[in-house]
C-alpha cells in the first residue's frame, strides 16, 4: 500500500537567499574563498549552542582557481584554502594548483592532517629567474584523520615543504603532501564529528558508539550525511565487536519531512531484515540521528512504500550507557558495603557484602537492572569472589589468583580482573556464573603489570592502568566475544607513561569517555579523556585540593574518596566538591564502569 506523496523538501536542502545578506569574499594572496550561508553543517552562521536543527545554516567556503601570475607563496595559500573547501568534494579546484603529474598522483583521501601554523617562503630568491622553489608550511601538529574518519591526536612541530616549478610562466606545486592538510579552523568548517551506533555482535539489546569525522557535502544535509556514513559500517577498531541490523548493500534513497514526521526511504535490501532485528535497526537510526529527530515521529519506507512509524523515545532502552533512571551509588564504611540514601547515613546492602564486615575489599556492583544484583570483591587474597544482594548470601570464588586487580562487571553479567603474574606479565580473566576463563590479549597489554582494568558500560571496550617499568600508562582495547572465546584486540595507548606523573585511578563516565585521576609534582588532577579521539575536552583537567584515593562516575556525576575518610560528590554546574558521606567512608561505587 502506497503512502502519501513526498510533499515537503529534502532535509537540509533549504538555502538562505542572497536577500539574507551579502556574501563575504576572503582573499589570501592569489586565492579567494566566498562564504555562503547554507544548511546542514556543524558551523552555524549564528550561534548554535552546540545543537543541530533540521535546516541549520553554515559558512560555506567556495574554492577559486589560481590567479594568473600568482607568486609561489600565494599558490600554496590558495592550495591550502582549496583543500578546506567542502563544496568541491573531489577537490578538483585544489588540483589546479598542482602540475599535471602531481594532480594525477595526489591522494588526499588516505589521511587528513590537522595543524596550526603559517606559510614561509625564501624571500631572498630571485623568482624572475628561478624555475624551481620551495615554500614551507611551519606550525604545530594537532591531529590526523584516517580514511575511516578516526581521529588520532598528534604532537610536535610540523614542517611541510612544497616544491613548486614554473610551467608556461606559472608556478605550480610539483611535490604536494600525500595527505589533505587542514588548519584547525578549516577542520570545523569542512568536517563534522559524529557518533554512529551499532548493536553488539552478541545480539543483546544495546548499542555501541563509534565516533568519526565525516566531510561535509553541501548537496546533503546533516541527517543524510549521518545515515549514509552509518550504512558504510563501523570503523576497523570496533568492527569485530559489533554488528549492523542493516543488510549489506542497503542504500538511502532520500530523507524528507512530512509535517512532524522524518521519512527515511531505503533501497529494497531493507526488506530482508529479520523481524527480530527491526528494533535494533530503528535504535541505530534514532540514536545516530539524535537531536535531529527528538520529539518527532520517524517513518521508514522502502522505495517509497509506506512502512514503519515509531517514536525515538521508545528506544531509550538501547542507551549505550546502560544505566537509566535513578542511579544508585554505593560506598564502603566499617568494612561493609552501603548504599547511599537521599538523606542521612547509608544502609548496608543485603547479603555478604553488607553483613560480613572486614572480609573483602575493592567491591564492584553488577548491572542493578538484573535481579538480584551481584557484588564482586577481593576476598582472602586468593581471588575474586561474588555474592548476590540477598539476605544471608555467602561469598563464592569465581576467579582464583593471588594477585588480582579490582574486579569490574560488564553489562552481560560477567566479572573481569587482571592477574599480575610477575612485574613483566599480566593475564586477564573473566567469569560468569562461577565459571572462569582466560581472555586472549594483545602483547601490548600482556607486558607489564595491569594495576586496574575497567570494562566500559556498553561492554565493547576495556581501559587499563599498566605499569611497564617506565611509569604508568592507560591503554584502551576492544572486547571481541565469539561464543565461549573472548579476546581483547586493537590495544592502543590513551595516555603514555610520564616519569613525573602517576595514574592513580580510572572510571568510565559514559560509553565514550574515561575519567582519569593522576598525581604529579604539582598535585592531583582529574581529567575526562575521549577514548575514541585520545583527547581531553577543551575545559581541561580539574585541579584537586583534597587528596583523592579513588573515583567513580556516571554521566554528569562523579564520586571520589578523600584521604580524610569522606566520599565527595562533584557538581558539574557549580564546579565544586560537596561531602556526601564521612566517618571513614571510602570506595565509592556505581554499577558497572
Amino acid at each position: 500500500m502506497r503512502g502519501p506523496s513526498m510533499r515537503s523538501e529534502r532535509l537540509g536542502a533549504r538555502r538562505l537567499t542572497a536577500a539574507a545578506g551579502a556574501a563575504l569574499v576572503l582573499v589570501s594572496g592569489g586565492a579567494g574563498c566566498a562564504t555562503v550561508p547554507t544548511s546542514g553543517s556543524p558551523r552555524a552562521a549564528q550561534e548554535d549552542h552546540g545543537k543541530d536543527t533540521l535546516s541549520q545554516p553554515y559558512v560555506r567556503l567556495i574554492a577559486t582557481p589560481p590567479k594568473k601570475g600568482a607568486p609561489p607563496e600565494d599558490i600554496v595559500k590558495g592550495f591550502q584554502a582549496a583543500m578546506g573547501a567542502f563544496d568541491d568534494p573531489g577537490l578538483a579546484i585544489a588540483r589546479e594548483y598542482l602540475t599535471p603529474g602531481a594532480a594525477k598522483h595526489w591522494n588526499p583521501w588516505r589521511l587528513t592532517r590537522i595543524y596550526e601554523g603559517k606559510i614561509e617562503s625564501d624571500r631572498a630568491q630571485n623568482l624572475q629567474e628561478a624555475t624551481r622553489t620551495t615554500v614551507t608550511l611551519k606550525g604545530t601538529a594537532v591531529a590526523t584523520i584516517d580514511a575511516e574518519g578516526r581521529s588520532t591526536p598528534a604532537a610536535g612541530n610540523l614542517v611541510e615543504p612544497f616544491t613548486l616549478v614554473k610551467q608556461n610562466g606559472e608556478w605550480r606545486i610539483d611535490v604536494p603532501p600525500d595527505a589533505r592538510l587542514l588548519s584547525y579552523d578549516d577542520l570545523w568548517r569542512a568536517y563534522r564529528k559524529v557518533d554512529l551506533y551499532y548493536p553488539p555482535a552478541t545480539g543483546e539489546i544495546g548499542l555501541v558508539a563509534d565516533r568519526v569525522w565525516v566531510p561535509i557535502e553541501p548537496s546533503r544535509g546533516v541527517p543524510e550525511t549521518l545515515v549514509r556514513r552509518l550504512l558504510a559500517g563501523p570503523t576497523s577498531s570496533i568492527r569485530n565487536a559489533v554488528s549492523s541490523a542493516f543488510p549489506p548493500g542497503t542504500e538511502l534513497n532520500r530523507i524528507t519531512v512530512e509535517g512532524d514526521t522524518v521519512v527515511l526511504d531505503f533501497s529494497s535490501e531493507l526488506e530482508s531484515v529479520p523481524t527480530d532485528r527491526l528494533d535494533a535497526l530503528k535504535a541505530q537510526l534514532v540514536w545516530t540521528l539524535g537531536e535531529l529527530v527528538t520529539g518527532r515521529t520517524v517513518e521508514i519506507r522502502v522505495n517509497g512504500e509506506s512502512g514503519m512509524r515509531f517514536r525515538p523515545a521508545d528506544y531509550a532502552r538501547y542507551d549505550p550507557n546502560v544505566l537509566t533512571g535513578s542511579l544508585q551509588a554505593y560506598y564502603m564504611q566499617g568494612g561493609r558495603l552501603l548504599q547511599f540514601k537521599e538523606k542521612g547515613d547509608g544502609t548496608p546492602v543485603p547479603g555478604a557484602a553488607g553483613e560480613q564486615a572486614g572480609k573483602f575489599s575493592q567491591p564492584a556492583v553488577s548491572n542493578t537492572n538484573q535481579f538480584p544484583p551481584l557484588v564482586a570483591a577481593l576476598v582472602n587474597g586468593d581471588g575474586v569472589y561474588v555474592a548476590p544482594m540477598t539476605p544471608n548470601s555467602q561469598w563464592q570464588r569465581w576467579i582464583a589468583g593471588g594477585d588480582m586487580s579490582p574486579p569490574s562487571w560488564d553489562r552481560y553479567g560477567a566479572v573481569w580482573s587482571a592477574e599480575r603474574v610477575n612485574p613483566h606479565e599480566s593475564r586477564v580473566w573473566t567469569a560468569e556464573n562461577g565459571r572462569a576463563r582466560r581472555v586472549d590479549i594483545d602483547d601490548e597489554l600482556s607486558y607489564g603489570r595491569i594495576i586496574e582494568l575497567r570494562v566500559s558500560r556498553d561492554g565493547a571496550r576495556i581501559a587499563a592502568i599498566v605499569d611497564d617499568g617506565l611509569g604508568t600508562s592507560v591503554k584502551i582495547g576492544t572486547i571481541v566475544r565469539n561464543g565461549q572465546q573472548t579476546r581483547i584486540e586493537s590495544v592502543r595507548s590513551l595516555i603514555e607513561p610520564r616519569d613525573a606523573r602517576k595514574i592513580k585511578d580510572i572510571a568510565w563516565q559514559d560509553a565514550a569517555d574515561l575519567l582519569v585521576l593522576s598525581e604529579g609534582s604539582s598535585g592531583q588532577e582529574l581529567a575526562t579523556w575521549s577514548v575514541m579521539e585520545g583527547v581531553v575536552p577543551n575545559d581541561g583537567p580539574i585541579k584537586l585540593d583534597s587528596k583523592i584515593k579513588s573515583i567513580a562516575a556516571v554521566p554528569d556525576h562523579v564520586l571520589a574518596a578523600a584521604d580524610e575518610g569522606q566520599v565527595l560528590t562533584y557538581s558539574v554546574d557549580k564546579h565544586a566538591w560537596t561531602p556526601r558521606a564521612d566517618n571513614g567512608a571510602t570506595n565509592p561505587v556505581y554499577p558497572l564502569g
Side-chain angles (χ1 to χ4, degrees), residues 149-324:
R150 293 181 299 170
S151 172
T152 303
N157 294 328
L158 175 73
V159 180
E160 187 69 50
F162 294 80
T163 300
L164 294 91
V165 297
K166 188 178 286 185
Q167 293 186 341
N168 300 321
E170 299 292 340
W171 288 104
R172 293 294 182 267
I173 299 169
D174 191 43
V175 184
D178 191 19
R180 189 180 188 184
L181 290 176
L182 295 179
S183 70
Y184 192 68
D185 288 340
D186 285 339
L187 169 68
W188 287 99
R189 281 190 290 263
Y191 277 73
R192 176 185 178 80
K193 181 168 63 175
V194 301
D195 285 341
L196 311 172
Y197 292 91
Y198 297 93
T202 58
E204 301 280 346
I205 289 178
L207 292 171
V208 174
D210 192 14
R211 182 167 296 166
V212 297
W213 289 78
V214 295
I216 295 300
E217 295 186 37
S219 61
R220 297 175 177 175
V222 172
E224 186 177 349
T225 298
L226 286 171
V227 175
R228 290 189 185 279
R229 180 59 187 86
L230 177 70
L231 294 175
T235 62
S236 57
S237 64
I238 201 74
R239 186 173 299 146
N240 292 332
V242 299
S243 61
S244 179
F246 287 90
T250 301
E251 295 183 358
L252 176 68
N253 294 328
R254 64 189 63 83
I255 301 180
T256 57
V257 177
E258 297 181 2
D260 198 37
T261 300
V262 178
V263 180
L264 299 102
D265 187 23
F266 293 95
S267 60
S268 57
E269 285 81 0
L270 202 69
E271 294 177 337
S272 63
V273 179
T275 303
D276 61 358
R277 296 287 281 172
L278 285 176
D279 278 349
L281 184 147
K282 296 174 186 177
Q284 277 189 262
L285 279 176
V286 299
W287 274 88
T288 297
L289 290 169
E291 292 181 353
L292 296 171
V293 294
T294 298
R296 297 172 180 263
T297 297
V298 176
E299 181 176 346
I300 295 176
R301 296 178 184 172
V302 176
N303 291 331
E305 296 283 346
S306 291
M308 302 170 287
R309 292 170 60 90
F310 54 95
R311 290 280 185 179
D314 294 338
Y315 295 88
R317 68 186 187 278
Y318 281 81
D319 191 336
N321 295 314
V322 180
L323 305 178
T324 57

Side-chain angles (χ1 to χ4, degrees), residues 228 256 355 416 504 511 536:
R228 290 189 185 279
T256 57
E355 298 165 359
W416 293 64
K504 303 286 289 184
V536 178

Side-chain angles (χ1 to χ4, degrees), residues 10-15 38-40 54-56 218-223:
R10 291 281 301 275
L11 293 182
R14 287 175 284 179
R15 300 191 179 187
T38 182
S39 62
L54 289 173
S55 57
Q56 187 184 63
S219 61
R220 297 175 177 175
V222 172

Side-chain angles (χ1 to χ4, degrees), residues 346-529:
T347 57
V349 301
E355 298 165 359
Q356 301 173 9
K359 293 188 176 182
F360 66 96
S361 63
Q362 303 293 336
V365 177
S366 70
N367 188 352
T368 50
N369 290 332
Q370 70 180 53
F371 186 83
L374 303 175
V375 180
L378 301 181
V379 181
N380 300 328
D382 65 355
V384 175
Y385 286 68
V386 173
M389 287 190 190
T390 55
N392 304 314
S393 66
Q394 299 297 316
W395 292 108
Q396 178 188 3
R397 189 169 67 173
W398 280 24
I399 303 174
D403 189 7
M404 307 297 296
S405 69
S408 175
W409 289 97
D410 69 21
R411 65 182 299 173
Y412 306 110
V415 67
W416 293 64
S417 182
E419 179 185 12
R420 283 78 65 119
V421 181
N422 58 56
H424 308 293
E425 181 185 1
S426 293
R427 298 170 184 162
V428 175
W429 297 86
T430 183
E432 190 172 0
N433 296 324
R435 296 185 295 273
R437 62 181 186 273
R438 188 172 169 182
V439 178
D440 293 332
I441 57 177
D442 284 358
D443 291 341
E444 186 173 345
L445 189 60
S446 64
Y447 182 78
R449 296 181 72 251
I450 298 179
I451 299 171
E452 194 167 318
L453 183 144
R454 298 293 180 190
V455 182
S456 61
R457 289 192 173 91
D458 63 9
R461 298 176 176 89
I462 62 98
I465 302 176
V466 179
D467 188 344
D468 61 1
L470 300 176
T472 50
S473 64
V474 176
K475 296 184 183 294
I476 303 295
T478 300
I479 300 173
V480 178
R481 298 172 174 85
N482 184 12
Q484 292 301 309
Q485 291 187 332
T486 304
R487 69 180 185 274
I488 299 173
E489 62 179 36
S490 301
V491 177
R492 58 184 175 81
S493 292
L494 179 69
I495 304 175
E496 297 288 353
R498 289 187 290 168
D499 291 337
R501 183 156 293 275
K502 182 178 182 180
I503 308 299
K504 303 286 289 184
D505 199 9
I506 54 176
W508 286 95
Q509 190 153 25
D510 54 37
D513 298 301
L514 186 73
L515 200 63
V516 178
L517 173 66
S518 61
E519 184 174 14
S521 57
S522 60
Q524 289 187 326
E525 63 182 33
L526 202 58
T528 303
W529 285 76

